């Protein structure tokens, strides 16, 4: 919590606790707020220049429309994906497992003929917890004004060569580092035709019951300039869904609503972690959490993951310039239209990539979020007691309890509680605060917080 330091009295009580309980409370000595050299190095290694060269190369394929040419080596979506795959294999230096994930879509509202939909998927296998995955994506397909036009120039520099380039750069940099959990870097297809590529992968993940602990999509992260000319290159929007709009509420959602936890969905918890980590490692850059699934009239590749019950978020620039999205390249009334690379600010894109990479690295180094966290509700009291299941990581140090006012969207305080499976926060009523429980490892890496559900009776 760099933005909300613990109060002096809380710090004092942690210190006293450490003296009183040397074994279980040594965790209080871990400095969870200090930056980790490995993450700092990753952030420094992200290169705006390389991102720029990836964007320009992607634009050079003329169109990356999902139904465009696939035989040519220089034009169309086939050439684009073969180049992305080859580039990831080259830079991955044996650490990235790079595969095409493909299927044939028979047809749909925006697919007029049977079309092979191909995602490029690069997996960096975790060392100690390879079955826990974090996924980061951009979509490499592009479009012109007519979404069915598969031949016109469709540079898609911002939408979404910017996101694809950021993901490629993260993959190449992070492949040089080791993590506890696995990270999946994805360039997906057919976003513009209806999120087909991401939907295919997310459904397979659910069928295989993969533990996707968090997913980010990067879509339109290339421009710091609004259509009215204002520049904001110091912030990014992070869209985070609360309660999903489904007809039948699952029990977990019903419990959230019953306890006022609309803003403690797994996606919002993930968003808090991204904001804290991203802002710590990219000073001066703000992650603005937007409490929404996405913008009006728009969607993205995080949605198929949300629909499969995973925590998923969308990164998008602060102000979009719609002259340079989904438009044929042309000049009208002296205004250049079209999604051209000259309207992409790759220094800005690199900072968004740094926020992503810092968050992914911190998640993949940290333990999993604690499971089965329950709020004890057996009696009326002004203390707050919680219990949870033990984490299984070998480098686990213990747990941390965090809290915030019910009107705050970010954690405001926290206390290390040692390697215990229950804890009572004295004098802070569960009626007046939201609580979360995080797992902490011996290097001070902290997990996403888990929301306590009312105790099962
Ligand atoms: Zn897009």
């Amino acid at each position: 919590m760099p933005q909300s330091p613990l109060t002096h009295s809380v710090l004092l009580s942690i210190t006293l606790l450490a003296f009183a309980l040397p074994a279980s409370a040594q965790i209080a000595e871990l400095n969870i707020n200090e930056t980790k050299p490995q993450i700092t190095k990753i952030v420094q290694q992200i290169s705006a220049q390389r991102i720029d060269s990836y964007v320009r190369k992607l634009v050079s394929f003329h169109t990356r429309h999902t139904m465009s040419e696939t035989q040519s080596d220089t034009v169309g979506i086939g050439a684009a994906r073969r180049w992305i795959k080859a580039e990831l294999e080259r830079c991955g230096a044996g650490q990235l497992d790079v595969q095409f994930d493909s299927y044939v879509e028979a047809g749909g509202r925006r697919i007029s003929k049977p079309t092979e939909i191909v995602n490029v998927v690069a997996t960096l296998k975790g060392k100690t917890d390879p079955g826990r995955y974090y996924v980061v994506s951009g979509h490499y397909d592009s479009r012109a004004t007519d979404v069915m036009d598969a031949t016109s120039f469709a540079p898609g520099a911002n939408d979404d060569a910017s996101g694809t380039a950021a993901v490629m750069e993260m993959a190449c940099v992070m492949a040089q580092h080791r993590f506890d959990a696995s990270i999946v870097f994805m360039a997906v297809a057919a976003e513009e035709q209806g999120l087909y590529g991401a939907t295919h992968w997310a459904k397979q993940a659910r069928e295989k019951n993969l533990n996707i602990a968090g997913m980010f999509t990067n879509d339109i992260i290339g421009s710091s300039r609004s259509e009215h000319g204002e520049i904001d290159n110091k912030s990014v929007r992070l869209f985070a869904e609360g309660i999903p709009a489904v007809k039948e509420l699952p029990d977990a959602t019903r419990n959230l609503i019953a306890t006022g936890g609309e803003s403690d969905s797994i996606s919002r918890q993930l968003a808090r972690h991204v904001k804290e980590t991203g802002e710590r490692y990219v000073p001066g850059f703000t992650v603005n959490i937007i409490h929404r699934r996405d913008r009006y009239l728009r969607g993205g590749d995080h949605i198929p993951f949300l629909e499969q019950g995973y925590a998923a978020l969308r990164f998008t620039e602060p102000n979009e310039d719609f002259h340079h999205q989904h438009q044929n390249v042309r000049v009208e009334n002296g205004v250049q239209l079209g999604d051209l690379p000259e309207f992409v600010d790759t220094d800005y894109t690199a900072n968004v990539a740094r926020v992503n990479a810092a968050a992914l690295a911190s998640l993949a180094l940290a333990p999993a979020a604690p499971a089965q966290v329950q709020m004890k509700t057996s009696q009326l009291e002004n203390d707050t007691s919680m219990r949870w299941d033990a984490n299984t990581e070998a480098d686990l140090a213990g747990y941390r309890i965090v809290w915030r006012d019910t009107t705050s969207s970010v954690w405001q305080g926290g206390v290390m509680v040692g390697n215990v499976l229950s804890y009572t926060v004295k004098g802070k009523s569960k009626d007046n605060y939201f609580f979360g429980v995080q797992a902490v490892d011996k290097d001070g890496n902290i997990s996403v917080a888990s929301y306590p559900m009312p105790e099962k009776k």
Side-chain angles (χ1 to χ4, degrees), residues 149-170:
D149 174 356
T151 55
S152 292
F153 183 35
N158 190 3
D159 186 10
D160 183 34
S162 66
T164 304
V167 169
M168 290 174 71
E169 176 66 1
M170 284 182 244

Side-chain angles (χ1 to χ4, degrees), residues 274-294:
V274 173
K275 180 175 174 68
E276 283 184 10
T277 320
E279 293 179 356
R280 179 176 310 154
Y281 285 93
V282 190
F285 198 83
T286 303
V287 177
N288 281 320
I289 299 174
I290 309 280
H291 282 185
R292 293 216 147 95
R293 169 182 267 210
D294 208 326

Side-chain angles (χ1 to χ4, degrees), residues 420-442:
V420 295
L421 296 178
S422 66
Y423 191 81
T424 299
V425 182
K426 295 271 183 203
K428 273 199 184 300
S429 167
K430 59 186 171 295
D431 299 328
N432 302 344
Y433 295 89
F434 286 125
F435 288 90
V437 183
Q438 300 170 324
V440 187
D441 76 7
K442 291 184 171 134

Side-chain angles (χ1 to χ4, degrees), residues 81-159:
R81 65 188 168 231
R82 289 191 293 277
W83 171 76
I84 295 168
K85 183 165 182 272
E87 195 61 26
L88 291 173
E89 281 165 347
R90 186 193 57 74
C91 80
Q95 299 297 330
L96 291 176
D97 173 26
V98 190
Q99 303 286 341
F100 282 143
D101 161 55
S102 80
Y103 81 106
V104 175
E105 177 59 46
R109 197 163 61 88
R110 291 177 164 191
I111 301 269
S112 59
K113 58 177 183 192
T115 302
E116 194 181 14
I117 311 286
V118 186
N119 301 319
V120 189
V121 182
T123 306
L124 181 61
K125 201 173 170 200
K127 291 293 160 195
T128 56
D129 196 1
R132 173 161 49 101
Y133 293 88
Y134 297 94
V135 177
V136 62
S137 80
H139 70 86
Y140 72 95
D141 62 309
S142 68
R143 62 170 283 185
T145 303
D146 173 2
V147 71
M148 304 306 276
D149 174 356
T151 55
S152 292
F153 183 35
N158 190 3
D159 186 10

Side-chain angles (χ1 to χ4, degrees), residues 152-289:
S152 292
F153 183 35
N158 190 3
D159 186 10
D160 183 34
S162 66
T164 304
V167 169
M168 290 174 71
E169 176 66 1
M170 284 182 244
C172 296
V173 166
M174 294 179 81
Q176 299 163 40
H177 298 264
R178 304 284 79 85
F179 302 93
D180 295 8
S182 297
I183 306 176
V184 179
F185 304 90
M186 264 200 285
V188 311
E191 193 273 352
E192 303 289 7
Q193 310 312 116
L195 315 177
Y196 286 99
T199 300
H200 178 249
W201 201 89
K203 271 190 181 160
Q204 283 183 307
R206 181 48 80 199
E207 277 162 21
K208 291 184 241 170
N209 215 7
L210 288 191
N211 174 13
I212 313 282
M215 186 274 178
F216 311 153
T217 192
N218 286 272
D219 196 353
I220 311 180
I221 57 164
S223 173
S224 50
R225 188 179 181 280
S226 78
E227 57 187 347
H228 306 298
E230 312 138 47
I231 306 277
D232 175 0
N233 57 9
K234 296 269 182 285
S235 78
V236 66
R237 287 182 291 173
L238 182 62
F239 287 88
E241 180 179 79
I243 302 287
V246 289
K247 284 201 176 124
E248 306 256 325
L249 289 183
D251 282 350
T253 309
R254 199 182 298 277
N255 266 326
L256 275 179
I257 296 171
T259 54
E262 303 91 275
S263 203
D264 288 68
S265 66
I266 52 176
S267 295
R268 297 255 167 100
Q269 302 288 20
L270 183 64
R272 287 184 185 104
H273 187 99
V274 173
K275 180 175 174 68
E276 283 184 10
T277 320
E279 293 179 356
R280 179 176 310 154
Y281 285 93
V282 190
F285 198 83
T286 303
V287 177
N288 281 320
I289 299 174

